[in-house]
């Protein structure tokens, strides 16, 4: 056990984590030149294109140092705030962490929040300054930031470049010398932490785990504590570039288990594996069921594809256990599903994967968060969808989820960032300067305000410099109302939203104006109204297409023209009673893009 080192890599998106991991794999000879490609551990096309890690990976390397053979287990972590629970479980499986900071950009929000997670778990932190080969690198300034942040010595910071491979040998030496070896008792009852799982269409779910105590053998009868399910360990082994079966794994090892599990719900990240015969007395702490934060309806464009969409979502859920969905129907869009996502990036990725991997064309409704509605009788109803709101007269009050947001930016953009957050009903909690020109601002704000377009606006007012991270802080009472959009006095349920009372008038007016541009003209006038309950707060009219019925009247009395116009008016009125208005696809998308 003394020659095992388990470590993870902490970095903000695009600070060169996957590239540096490639160099470590090459340097230790885990991967041959023939198998080499950019970002080996990111095996989804989406991950490569966007330069983010969506699914965490683990890989074992063998490294010889001073005539001793060491086993290094790299447990990769996703880089985005939506997946922070998975990051925390990966960190819990390690003893050390490489803190990678881009020498051209300095410390950013994601780095800090994941660093705090690592410090909470008492990990040994090895600071690495990446991208030293770039001309724009500012090593001295960024080193100051790192020293301020973690209080290490300047000479402890390793300068490296993932692109050229400079400094990789020093990183490996630091891992061997500084990261403590795993502590655990191979003789104790089995206690292993699941930090990830992946679906294989032939073998079922493969769970990745790290053994804290005990030993597991092939064929053992094991149980998963949180789900209380029992399985035979059909195959266990370690993760090299491919899975490598082993007979036995013991304390300190990182490996995988295949036991023919068919549904992803049975394997939960953070769960504990133990033996059925000799179970451990306590489960590993920190497990929680991941709750979706953002909800949106997903509907097939063609109603006949409903069953295909269901099958696609089920397959997607096998690879992504944090996606939840339930059937729902809408008067405007037909049958579809209400899906729960961890955050906006997660939602975007699911849409993209439905399109690429399953060739599904879908309409997504306005994303919203879940609210707690407390009725007059004191019952609590969880509402994910504006159409599920009880009548106003039964509602005592509504509570909405709040978040603590950390924004790190250059100090010259502080004013505009503060204005943006205050416009979004944020309350300033703290402001700290990191170095001379970088500032960390902490706001408390409602989650519903950031699901729309907050991130885009933040990036544009800070010219791309601000980085953003958040975590949920609880629920607070809010003055929310349901805003309905009516077409010809008929409500379109897919366009209704729950919105704060102060923003309702503006939002309703802009919605009506936008829809007037997008809804095609009919043979009759179409009234577009925004209403709160029975009170209409904004209205626009799409004018009717009219035929010039008076063209054949030459001269004569005005009453002849009037008679023809009255006749036309009656016809239009009759048409309006039987006519219905189709809402085009662009209208739903435009609502998302209201600035």
């Amino acid at each position: 056990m003394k020659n095992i080192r388990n470590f993870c890599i902490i970095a903000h998106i695009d600070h060169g984590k996957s590239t540096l991991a490639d160099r470590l794999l090459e340097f230790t000879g885990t991967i041959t030149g023939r198998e080499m490609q950019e970002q080996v551990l990111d095996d989804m096309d989406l991950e490569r294109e966007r330069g983010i890690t969506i699914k965490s990976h683990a890989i074992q390397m063998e490294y010889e140092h001073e005539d001793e053979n060491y086993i290094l287990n790299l447990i990769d972590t996703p880089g985005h705030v939506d997946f922070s629970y998975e990051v925390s479980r990966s960190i819990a499986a390690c003893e050390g962490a490489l803190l990678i900071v881009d020498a051209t950009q300095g410390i950013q929000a994601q780095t800090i929040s994941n660093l705090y997670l690592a410090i909470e778990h008492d990990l040994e932190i090895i600071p690495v300054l990446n991208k030293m080969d770039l001309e724009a690198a500012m090593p001295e300034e960024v080193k100051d930031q790192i020293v301020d942040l973690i209080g290490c010595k300047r000479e402890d910071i390793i300068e490296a470049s993932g692109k050229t491979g400079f400094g990789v040998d020093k990183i490996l030496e630091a891992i061997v010398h500084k990261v403590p070896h795993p502590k655990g008792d191979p003789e104790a009852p089995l206690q292993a932490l699941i930090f990830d799982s992946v679906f294989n269409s032939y073998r079922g779910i493969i769970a990745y785990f790290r053994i804290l105590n005990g030993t597991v053998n092939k064929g053992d009868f094991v149980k998963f504590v949180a789900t209380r399910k029992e399985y035979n360990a059909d195959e266990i082994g370690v993760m090299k570039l491919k899975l490598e079966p082993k007979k036995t794994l013991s304390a300190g090892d990182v490996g995988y288990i295949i036991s023919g599990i068919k549904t992803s719900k049975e394997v939960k990240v953070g769960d504990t594996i133990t033996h059925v015969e000799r179970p451990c007395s306590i489960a590993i702490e920190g497990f929680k069921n991941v709750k979706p934060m953002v909800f949106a309806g997903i509907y097939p464009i063609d109603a006949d594809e409903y069953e295909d969409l269901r099958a696609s979502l089920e397959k997607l859920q096998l690879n992504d256990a944090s996606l939840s969905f339930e059937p729902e129907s809408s008067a405007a869009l037909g049958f579809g599903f209400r899906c729960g996502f961890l955050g906006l990036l997660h939602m975007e990725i699911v849409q993209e994967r439905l399109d690429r991997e399953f060739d599904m064309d879908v309409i997504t409704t306005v994303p919203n968060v879940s609210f707690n509605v407390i009725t007059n009788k004191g019952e609590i109803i969880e509402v994910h969808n504006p159409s599920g709101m009880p009548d106003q007269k039964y509602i005592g009050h509504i509570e909405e989820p709040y978040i603590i947001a950390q924004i790190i930016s250059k100090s010259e953009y502080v004013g505009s960032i503060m204005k943006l957050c205050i416009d979004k009903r944020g309350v300033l909690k703290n402001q700290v300067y990191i170095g001379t020109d970088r500032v960390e601002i902490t706001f408390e704000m409602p989650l519903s305000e950031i699901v729309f377009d907050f991130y885009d606006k933040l990036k544009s007012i800070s010219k791309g410099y601000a980085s953003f991270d958040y975590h949920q802080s609880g629920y607070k009472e809010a003055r929310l109302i349901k805003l309905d959009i009516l077409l010809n006095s008929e409500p379109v349920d897919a366009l209704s939203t729950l919105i704060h009372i102060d923003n309702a008038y503006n939002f309703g007016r802009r919605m009506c104006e936008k829809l007037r541009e997008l809804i095609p003209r009919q043979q009759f006038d179409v009234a577009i109204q925004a209403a709160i309950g029975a009170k209409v707060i904004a209205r626009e009219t799409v004018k009717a297409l009219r035929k010039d019925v008076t063209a054949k009247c030459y001269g004569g009395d005005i009453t002849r023209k009037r008679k023809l116009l009255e006749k036309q008016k009656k016809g239009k009125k009759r048409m309006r009673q039987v006519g219905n208005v189709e809402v085009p696809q662009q209208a739903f998308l435009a609502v998302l893009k209201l600035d």
Side-chain angles (χ1 to χ4, degrees):
M1 205 193 301
K2 72 179 201 318
N3 286 6
I4 298 177
R5 299 286 182 272
N6 297 327
F7 68 99
C8 61
I9 298 182
I10 294 173
H12 191 80
I13 293 172
D14 209 25
H15 278 206
K17 173 165 68 98
S18 300
T19 315
L20 203 63
D22 289 354
R23 296 294 87 76
L24 292 173
L25 295 178
E26 271 185 334
F27 198 89
T28 54
T30 310
I31 186 168
T32 60
R34 203 171 49 137
E35 297 164 317
M36 188 60 211
Q37 53 172 339
E38 291 285 306
Q39 299 156 332
V40 177
L41 295 180
D42 293 348
D43 50 14
M44 230 184 285
D45 293 343
L46 252 175
E47 292 182 311
R48 286 159 189 263
E49 282 168 28
R50 293 183 171 220
I52 52 178
T53 303
I54 296 166
K55 193 93 182 91
S56 56
H57 289 264
I59 193 158
Q60 189 181 90
M61 301 177 270
E62 287 170 10
Y63 174 58
E64 192 177 317
H65 179 64
E66 295 171 356
D67 298 334
E68 288 238 19
N69 285 328
Y70 290 92
I71 289 177
L72 310 180
N73 289 312
L74 162 60
I75 298 173
D76 196 9
T77 58
H80 197 272
V81 51
D82 287 2
F83 308 112
S84 56
Y85 174 66
E86 288 173 30
V87 175
S88 78
R89 296 302 83 206
S90 295
I91 286 174
C94 299
E95 278 82 32
L98 292 182
L99 173 71
I100 294 184
V101 181
D102 183 336
T104 62
Q105 294 185 45
I107 284 172
Q108 297 196 313
Q110 201 63 57
T111 323
I112 292 189
S113 63
N114 287 352
L115 176 70
Y116 289 157
L117 274 177
I119 292 172
E120 269 172 42
H121 286 92
D122 287 339
L123 266 60
E124 178 65 41
I125 311 277
I126 299 172
V128 176
L129 202 55
N130 195 20
K131 305 198 184 179
M132 285 297 293
D133 57 317
L134 296 182
E135 284 177 12
M138 323 172 284
E140 295 312 310
E141 290 171 39
V142 180
K143 275 185 185 175
D144 289 341
Q145 292 175 14
I146 296 175
V147 171
D148 286 347
L149 186 66
I150 59 175
C152 61
K153 298 190 180 105
R154 280 182 85 89
E155 56 270 18
D156 288 349
I157 301 171
I158 300 170
E159 296 186 2
S161 159
K163 198 167 167 189
T164 60
F166 160 68
V168 172
D169 48 342
K170 288 191 187 135
I171 294 175
L172 286 164
E173 279 174 31
I175 291 168
V176 166
H177 290 306
K178 289 186 179 171
V179 175
H181 63 77
K183 296 175 180 62
D185 179 4
E187 304 305 316
L190 176 66
Q191 200 184 25
L193 169 73
I194 300 178
F195 60 83
D196 196 14
S197 66
V198 54
F199 177 73
N200 179 313
S201 42
Y202 301 106
R203 319 281 314 259
I205 304 268
I206 303 172
Y208 295 162
F209 62 85
R210 147 80 203 270
I211 303 181
L212 299 182
N213 288 306
T215 304
V216 62
N217 298 307
K218 186 178 170 177
D220 281 358
F221 196 36
V222 296
K223 78 167 177 187
F224 291 18
V225 177
T227 54
R228 301 189 177 160
K229 301 268 198 234
E230 301 180 352
Y231 308 101
N232 282 319
D234 299 336
E235 181 181 302
I236 58 170
V238 295
M239 286 86 68
K240 292 287 181 61
L241 203 56
K242 298 192 170 54
L243 301 180
E244 206 171 273
K246 295 267 191 238
K247 289 274 194 301
T248 307
L249 293 172
S250 65
D253 281 329
V254 174
Y256 69 90
I257 178 168
I258 298 177
S259 41
I261 304 171
K262 295 289 185 291
T263 53
S264 62
K265 287 195 177 68
E266 291 180 24
V267 179
K268 298 196 172 198
V269 171
D271 198 355
T272 307
I273 305 178
T274 187
H275 280 124
V276 175
E277 317 269 275
R278 206 179 138 212
C280 55
S281 51
I282 49 167
I284 297 162
E285 60 185 40
F287 169 74
K288 62 174 193 255
N289 281 316
V290 185
K291 280 185 70 175
M293 305 272 277
V294 175
F295 295 85
I298 289 187
Y299 293 85
I301 285 179
D302 183 357
D304 300 341
E305 291 182 347
Y306 174 71
E307 282 305 324
D308 297 348
L309 179 60
R310 179 196 290 277
S312 306
L313 281 168
E314 280 169 357
K315 282 180 186 156
L316 197 54
Q317 199 179 34
L318 289 171
N319 279 314
D320 184 354
S322 44
L323 168 68
S324 59
F325 64 91
E326 54 190 40
E328 75 164 0
S329 66
S330 141
L333 298 170
F335 291 102
F337 296 94
R338 169 121 315 229
C339 301
F341 309 98
L342 297 175
L344 282 185
L345 178 88
H346 187 212
M347 175 173 137
E348 221 173 288
I349 286 164
V350 168
Q351 274 173 278
E352 190 90 4
R353 286 181 71 180
L354 279 173
D355 180 32
R356 288 187 184 198
E357 296 171 27
F358 303 102
D359 211 16
M360 293 297 308
D361 287 332
V362 294
I363 299 175
T364 311
T365 62
V366 185
N368 59 7
V369 299
S370 68
F371 299 96
N372 288 339
V373 176
I374 289 78
T375 60
N376 299 336
K377 294 178 181 171
E379 297 164 354
I380 298 179
I381 307 170
E382 199 172 281
V383 175
H384 303 312
N385 189 353
S387 60
M389 282 281 281
D391 276 347
Q392 200 68 37
K393 59 184 183 226
Y394 300 122
I395 296 175
H397 65 272
I398 303 175
E399 293 182 343
E400 63 175 336
Y402 267 68
I403 57 162
I404 301 285
Q406 284 173 311
I407 298 168
I408 293 183
S409 168
K410 289 201 162 183
S411 44
E412 64 215 63
Y413 305 120
V414 168
S416 44
I417 289 174
M418 287 210 181
K419 183 179 181 309
L420 172 70
C421 293
I422 291 164
D423 287 350
K424 298 277 188 189
R425 300 191 281 135
V427 177
L428 180 66
K429 288 285 181 197
N430 198 359
Q431 183 178 352
V432 184
Y433 276 83
I434 314 170
T436 48
D437 66 334
R438 291 168 72 80
V439 61
E440 178 187 10
I441 312 171
T442 310
F443 265 91
E444 183 174 40
M445 55 205 294
L447 178 64
S448 56
E449 293 285 345
I450 67 158
V451 299
F452 236 37
D453 53 3
F454 177 78
Y455 196 61
D456 298 348
K457 283 187 174 172
L458 178 69
K459 281 292 184 198
S460 56
I461 60 177
S462 66
K463 303 200 171 44
Y465 276 111
S467 58
F468 167 67
D469 181 57
Y470 66 89
H471 57 268
Q472 201 170 350
S473 63
Y475 282 80
K476 283 190 179 180
E477 193 174 324
R479 295 167 60 216
L480 298 172
I481 43 167
K482 183 180 170 193
L483 179 73
D484 288 314
I485 299 293
L486 314 173
L487 290 184
N488 270 352
S489 324
E490 288 291 316
V492 182
D493 56 353
L495 291 176
S496 59
T497 47
L498 282 171
I499 192 160
H500 194 264
I501 199 158
D502 297 345
N503 305 341
Y505 173 69
N506 268 336
F507 186 74
R509 202 185 71 239
R510 293 203 328 253
M511 284 271 278
C512 291
E513 285 167 4
K514 195 78 179 173
L515 287 169
R516 192 188 72 192
E517 296 164 17
L518 292 164
I519 288 177
R521 289 173 72 182
Q522 313 286 335
Q523 290 289 342
F524 49 89
D525 280 4
V526 178
I528 304 166
Q529 294 164 309
I532 299 168
K535 182 183 173 195
V536 174
I537 57 169
R539 166 176 174 141
E540 294 285 337
T541 310
V542 178
K543 282 295 181 199
L545 293 165
R546 302 190 61 163
K547 182 180 170 191
D548 188 359
V549 287
T550 58
K552 59 180 185 283
C553 288
Y554 289 113
D557 199 345
I558 182 69
T559 50
R560 292 177 60 203
K561 286 188 176 178
R562 173 100 292 121
K563 190 171 145 195
L564 286 169
L565 287 169
E566 286 298 325
K567 193 172 160 190
Q568 183 187 30
K569 198 169 165 187
K570 276 185 190 150
K572 296 276 182 205
K573 197 171 173 185
R574 227 181 7 255
M575 236 180 220
R576 181 175 166 181
Q577 284 164 355
V578 294
N580 64 349
V581 186
E582 288 290 311
V583 184
Q585 161 95 44
Q586 289 91 358
F588 293 108
L589 301 175
V591 176
L592 295 174
K593 294 192 171 60
L594 276 180
D595 61 340

